[in-house]
Amino acid sequence: MISRALLLVLLVLACLQSFTKAQNANGPKKCCFTYQTNRVPVKYIARYEITEALCSKPGIIFTMKDSRPVCADPHVDWVKSNMNKLDQQSPVFKSFVH
């Protein structure tokens, strides 16, 4: 009876350990997995961030004035245009995700 209980406890501990190892503390904090396809007017954007190189897809995260994040493809013309407009307004709009 004790061996069954010990086996159960060890099994639970092994499962918990695998869950904690699956969370990578050194991975990127924010990544884009899908992109906004419709153009977002620059007047609604508060700032933008460039995602880290460790992300599977490159991305620009526009933070809207209502604090909502929107991911966009950095290779699309409207995204580049919005980034340039924000850079011209003030250099504080751009930041890098660390």
Side-chain angles (χ1 to χ4, degrees), residues 45-80:
I45 301 171
R47 65 187 187 94
Y48 73 89
E49 302 171 72
I50 300 170
T51 59
E52 293 181 57
L54 294 173
C55 294
S56 60
K57 293 171 77 171
I60 302 299
I61 302 172
F62 289 119
T63 302
M64 309 309 285
K65 290 186 177 175
D66 64 359
S67 301
R68 184 174 40 99
V70 173
C71 281
D73 184 346
H75 302 106
V76 176
D77 288 337
W78 71 264
V79 175
K80 293 177 190 177

Side-chain angles (χ1 to χ4, degrees), residues 1 5 15 28 35 39 49 53 59 70 72-73 77 80 85-86 88-91:
M1 185 69 169
C15 288
Y35 297 132
R39 182 184 180 102
E49 302 171 72
V70 173
D73 184 346
D77 288 337
K80 293 177 190 177
K85 288 176 185 174
L86 291 169
Q88 289 171 2
Q89 290 176 8
S90 173

